Amino acid sequence: DGADNQIGNVENRLGRKLACPGNKEFLSQFYMEAIAGMMINWIKEREHRDRQVVIRYIADTIRYSLLGSLRSKGNQTTGK
């Protein structure tokens, strides 16, 4: 799915693969459900949060948590 592809893109860019079997699928499901929940809450409470701010927060959270997971728990696949 799309989240798996995005995780794969980051893995390739960093030259690291998630070490635990099933971790990519778990993270894909986790991010998908977290984003869905955040979007539902944003739709319910639009007047409290700016759309661009919510998008930036979600993107930053995924970016940095995925980078951290790969750097700390990933196996190096190239000379990077």
Side-chain angles (χ1 to χ4, degrees):
D1 75 348
D4 266 355
N5 290 338
Q6 291 302 318
I7 292 171
N9 289 340
V10 175
E11 286 178 321
N12 291 334
R13 210 170 57 230
L14 290 178
R16 300 181 75 80
K17 298 283 182 192
L18 291 168
C20 299
N23 202 339
K24 188 186 296 188
E25 293 79 16
F26 172 82
L27 286 175
S28 294
Q29 187 71 29
F30 178 83
Y31 291 138
M32 182 177 60
E33 291 184 25
I35 291 168
M38 292 298 299
M39 295 308 295
I40 289 168
N41 287 337
W42 177 76
I43 289 168
K44 290 178 183 177
E45 302 173 7
R46 277 183 211 201
E47 66 277 357
H48 297 292
R49 293 204 179 166
D50 178 69
R51 180 175 62 122
Q52 292 302 318
V53 171
V54 171
I55 291 168
R56 188 179 73 237
Y57 287 167
I58 290 171
D60 286 350
T61 300
I62 292 170
R63 178 181 304 113
Y64 297 119
S65 66
L66 183 54
L67 289 172
S69 291
L70 284 167
R71 287 185 176 137
S72 68
K73 302 288 186 194
N75 291 328
Q76 193 161 351
T77 61
T78 66
K80 290 184 180 183

